[in-house]
Amino acid sequence: MKISVVVPLMNEEENIKYLIEEVDKALKEFDYELILVDDGSTDNTVEEIKKRMNDKTKLVILNRNYGQTSAMAAGIKVAGGDIIVTIDGDLQNDPNDIPMMIEKLNEGYDVVAGIRAKRQDEPVRKFLSKIANKIIRKITGVYITDYGCTLKVFKKDVAKNLQLYGELHRFIPILAKMYGAKITEVPVRHHERKFGKSKYGFNRIFKVISDLMYLVFMQRFGQKPMHFFGTIGFIMFSVGALIDLYLFILKLFGESIGNRPLLTVGTVSIIAGIQLITTGFLAEIMIRTYYESQNKKPYVIKEIINSKNSE
């Protein structure tokens, strides 16, 4: 089985030589390709790759910096392997862990995720990562120990259907679970960065939070958005209607309600409820258009087994 190793890179010129050597050393017994995706580097990363690439290496150059997720998606798009591996280009992940992870994959899993054992990062970074992992597990119900570890091994069909964009590479296990993949995790080695510094840092935290909110919505209501908008809309409409009914009764008994803040709350709640219910209808129409116009199906058939009639 052919293996495709996808590596997103940005300004990693000093690591290229060691990266190509280490991957080749780790996978010399395998039929593999190394796909290096340059994510808009401004240093000599591309030149270094061209200088050192061999017959196993494929270089994908993006026209500008799009971010790690898009770079990863571009690499997976051109990957021709039956097994696809994602790994960082800074050699903090160890390519020598890949054969062990492939072995684990062959035990019947669709995705094997790495857990960075003895992680070699700053204490603050590790602390924040630990909190983030706990929050993501709690919110999504997908219990992966280390969402931030790039080193993962996939079967081809799972990797090709991840639909990566935004900052969603951090949530690959959730995307894989939504696809129906069987996931496991194994401890992997983690080294100190030898050269340069991380290019994908805390400045993306708000984008990550936004993507997490979107992903949770898609996970729970992706095919039935009316269940989300309609439920909230109905609750708000009902609350508003009860408030206004109460005020109407007071009005019948001669009390003045025109200056009451409660009247505004009731009216706004009714209007908001109607808007949310309408949004739910529009979202349902858009979902149907998405599937029907492109002849897509809201499911994936893993296998069809036809029984043979015994003679």
Side-chain angles (χ1 to χ4, degrees):
M1 294 175 69
K2 187 173 183 178
I3 299 162
S4 296
V5 181
V6 176
V7 190
L9 297 163
M10 180 181 148
N11 294 345
E12 297 286 3
E13 59 179 335
E14 295 169 301
N15 285 310
I16 299 304
K17 174 179 181 294
Y18 302 100
L19 174 64
I20 294 174
E21 288 177 356
E22 288 298 316
V23 170
D24 189 60
K25 192 188 304 179
L27 300 179
K28 60 184 176 183
E29 303 296 329
F30 295 85
D31 177 18
Y32 81 92
E33 62 177 354
L34 175 61
I35 301 171
L36 303 176
V37 185
D38 178 67
D39 184 24
S41 294
T42 55
D43 64 356
N44 293 318
T45 295
V46 172
E47 289 71 20
E48 278 295 309
I49 295 172
K50 288 178 178 178
K51 188 195 305 181
R52 302 183 184 281
M53 64 193 302
N54 52 43
D55 59 343
K56 302 277 192 180
T57 313
K58 185 181 290 184
L59 172 60
V60 178
I61 305 174
L62 303 184
N63 65 319
R64 65 174 177 84
N65 174 247
Y66 289 93
Q68 190 172 357
T69 300
S70 295
M72 195 177 289
I76 291 172
K77 176 73 174 175
V78 303
D82 304 294
I83 293 173
I84 296 176
V85 181
T86 57
I87 190 171
D88 275 332
D90 54 15
L91 288 175
Q92 285 194 274
N93 294 140
D94 195 326
N96 291 298
D97 286 319
I98 296 174
M100 173 270 295
M101 296 178 77
I102 292 173
E103 232 177 272
K104 191 70 178 174
L105 190 80
N106 290 334
E107 291 179 11
Y109 296 100
D110 300 305
V111 181
V112 178
I115 306 170
R116 289 169 289 186
K118 299 179 181 178
R119 184 177 170 186
Q120 303 299 310
D121 279 323
E122 302 88 354
V124 174
R125 196 180 187 92
K126 288 192 286 186
F127 175 72
L128 292 175
S129 180
K130 191 173 182 179
I131 293 174
N133 285 324
K134 189 174 289 188
I135 291 171
I136 295 169
R137 287 194 296 269
K138 188 72 174 174
I139 291 175
T140 65
V142 180
Y143 291 90
I144 294 295
T145 306
D146 188 358
Y147 275 91
C149 182
T150 304
L151 182 54
K152 294 180 179 69
V153 177
F154 309 82
K155 285 185 178 176
K156 177 176 70 174
D157 67 303
V158 177
K160 295 284 188 180
N161 285 282
L162 286 175
Q163 298 181 332
L164 292 171
Y165 48 88
E167 297 292 322
L168 293 184
H169 70 277
R170 303 170 193 273
F171 307 119
I172 281 176
I174 303 169
L175 293 169
K177 201 75 174 178
M178 289 170 65
Y179 178 74
K182 187 178 180 182
I183 307 172
T184 190
E185 49 186 352
V186 293
V188 295
R189 285 165 282 196
H190 194 250
H191 305 293
E192 287 187 23
R193 179 183 259 274
K194 291 182 179 179
F195 305 104
K197 58 182 180 179
S198 175
K199 314 303 185 303
Y200 306 103
F202 297 122
N203 59 327
R204 297 173 184 264
I205 189 167
F206 295 110
K207 295 179 183 178
V208 172
I209 293 170
S210 299
D211 281 335
L212 178 60
M213 291 168 62
Y214 162 76
L215 203 53
V216 170
F217 174 81
M218 290 302 294
Q219 184 185 27
R220 298 180 184 176
F221 306 104
Q223 291 182 26
K224 294 298 296 179
M226 186 61 186
H227 289 179
F228 175 78
F229 293 108
T231 300
I232 298 176
F234 178 74
I235 291 170
M236 292 194 70
F237 180 86
S238 299
V239 169
L242 288 172
I243 290 172
D244 284 358
L245 177 61
Y246 165 72
L247 293 174
F248 176 70
I249 293 171
L250 292 182
K251 181 69 175 176
L252 290 178
F253 282 95
E255 291 192 32
S256 175
I257 61 172
N259 296 321
R260 289 198 175 200
L262 201 57
L263 178 62
T264 303
V265 173
T267 305
V268 170
S269 294
I270 289 174
I271 294 171
I274 293 171
Q275 287 180 327
L276 283 167
I277 292 169
T278 306
T279 300
F281 287 137
L282 293 175
E284 286 283 330
I285 293 169
M286 290 173 66
I287 287 293
R288 287 182 176 273
T289 303
Y290 169 75
Y291 282 112
E292 293 172 10
S293 66
Q294 302 179 63
N295 198 29
K296 289 180 178 288
K297 302 295 181 188
Y299 56 83
V300 176
I301 297 175
K302 183 177 182 180
E303 189 177 6
I304 297 177
I305 301 174
N306 293 317
S307 61
K308 294 182 179 179
N309 294 323
S310 56
E311 294 181 359

